[in-house]
Amino acid sequence: MTGPGRLAPGTRVRVRTASPRTHCRTPHYVRGREGVVVRHAGDFPDPERRAYHHLGLPAVPLYHVRFAQADLWPDGRAGDTLTLDLYGHWLDPIGA
Amino acid sequence: MAHSHAHHADDHAHAPIEDADGPSSDSVVLEQALRELLIEKGVFTAADIRREIDDLESRGEAQGARLVARAWVDPGFKERLLDDVAAAAAEIGIDLSGYALTRALENTEHTHHLVVCTLCSCYPRGLLGPPPLWYKSRPYRSRTVSEPRAVLAEFGTALPDDVAVEVVDSTADLRYLVVPRRPAGTEGMDEEALARLVTRDSMIGVAHPRPA
């Protein structure tokens, strides 16, 4: 089910390069990297606000995103992939 | 007076049991105060807490293994498991209410999945029980994402060259359970026997299931 602003599976995205001093769940190794949305994993309370005694509502969208290992590491093996769950506000769609 | 018992050579060879007898940390004090207050207010009882701890600690890999074995023998169940782990688990009497949302990852002839939590130690506890110490260690958490094949080799797990490795980093609200490939030569084995081949490590992805 899609909603306004929802990233569809197959959408190419770039992870933001922000370095917030507050809590976040975007590992450094994917910041600034390009990947592909596999699926919308659901909407969940925002952990970046929950960490500070906030309910984290309204819920924010979470996406399962796939990266090529060769794009993440100097010795990343061609054909190998890595997926992780990233919140929508960390992802910028690329291209049309 | 004659000795009434034999002295064993290693009587004093055991390391002393460590007791944390120092002052409690702030979080320990907070937990105790909160727990006692909530019990006093009748929100739950001490017995409720004991039951929850017992339930969490008594879960081991058997629940996960049953799901995998059922998926191996029943393609329809496998599709339902890949679509919704909690609903599929409920079909065979496994209650995942109160546990984090879990998703199943199917290994195929083309792709082998390997699960890690780089940020902490997220793990499908409802299906596998508590995680092993190595899973929570910094070396595993940092190296699995950047050199998964080296980590697999250190676990003694070989993969054909034409199988791709997909590392799954559980960074948020979902937990992941690997559905390993059914070993060759297991045709005709019943579900119970198949479940005994499914190891915890094969459901994390660092190892293959036991051979037939």
Side-chain angles (χ1 to χ4, degrees):
Chain A
M1 198 151 61
T2 56
R6 185 79 79 235
L7 298 172
T11 305
R12 286 202 66 79
V13 292
R14 181 185 295 278
V15 181
R16 294 193 178 172
T17 54
S19 287
R21 290 203 213 132
T22 51
H23 176 73
C24 70
R25 298 197 70 84
T26 303
H28 283 273
Y29 68 82
V30 291
R31 294 191 198 174
R33 307 296 190 177
E34 283 186 31
V36 179
V37 172
V38 176
R39 76 175 64 82
H40 170 228
D43 294 342
F44 299 91
D46 183 354
E48 295 172 16
R49 285 178 290 141
R50 287 196 72 197
Y52 302 100
H53 308 293
H54 194 282
L55 286 177
L57 298 175
V60 290
L62 182 69
Y63 296 96
H64 198 64
V65 184
R66 177 173 286 128
F67 297 81
Q69 288 282 49
D71 290 345
L72 295 180
W73 317 101
D75 297 331
R77 179 172 161 136
D80 282 356
T81 53
L82 179 146
T83 64
L84 75 177
D85 295 322
L86 298 169
Y87 292 92
H89 57 278
W90 276 90
L91 303 173
D92 290 321
I94 303 167
Chain B
M1 183 164 101
H3 287 285
S4 58
H5 59 274
H7 284 283
H8 298 284
D10 62 347
D11 256 355
H12 305 290
H14 302 287
I17 295 169
E18 301 278 352
D19 280 329
D21 279 338
S24 297
S25 68
D26 286 351
S27 51
V28 169
V29 172
L30 177 64
E31 183 274 329
Q32 184 173 343
L34 202 58
R35 170 167 36 92
E36 290 176 356
L37 184 60
L38 290 170
I39 290 171
E40 191 183 302
K41 286 182 174 292
V43 175
F44 45 68
T45 67
D48 289 335
I49 294 178
R50 187 202 59 74
R51 265 190 299 272
E52 288 296 322
I53 293 173
D54 187 51
D55 178 70
L56 176 67
E57 293 187 348
S58 66
R59 294 194 184 221
E61 64 222 52
Q63 285 85 15
R66 285 180 58 211
L67 283 180
V68 171
R70 175 67 59 105
W72 282 349
V73 304
D74 182 343
F77 182 83
K78 187 185 78 170
E79 292 309 311
R80 294 195 297 279
L81 177 67
L82 295 176
D83 182 60
D84 185 338
V85 167
E91 278 185 48
I92 60 174
I94 297 168
D95 179 11
L96 290 179
S97 57
Y99 285 93
L101 190 60
T102 307
R103 199 165 170 92
L105 304 164
E106 184 189 14
N107 281 356
T108 68
E109 59 186 322
H110 305 296
T111 305
H112 180 96
H113 295 89
L114 177 55
V115 179
V116 66
C117 177
T118 57
L119 298 180
C120 44
S121 61
C122 302
Y123 187 78
R125 287 172 170 79
L127 291 171
L128 298 184
L133 283 178
W134 55 258
Y135 183 86
K136 301 191 281 189
S137 73
R138 281 189 186 276
Y140 182 78
R141 286 163 51 208
S142 59
R143 295 181 57 218
T144 300
V145 285
S146 61
E147 44 178 352
R149 290 178 185 264
V151 170
L152 285 170
E154 288 168 25
F155 274 95
T157 300
L159 282 178
D161 274 342
D162 61 351
V163 174
V165 172
E166 173 153 288
V167 177
V168 181
D169 188 358
S170 22
T171 46
D173 303 76
L174 277 82
R175 308 289 175 263
Y176 291 96
L177 183 88
V178 174
V179 179
R181 297 188 65 203
R182 179 173 179 168
T186 59
E187 298 77 22
M189 283 177 73
D190 68 17
E191 248 180 87
E192 213 178 296
L194 286 169
R196 285 196 289 273
L197 302 181
V198 186
T199 60
R200 173 199 65 193
D201 289 355
S202 70
M203 292 183 281
I204 297 172
V206 296
H208 299 303
R210 294 189 179 100

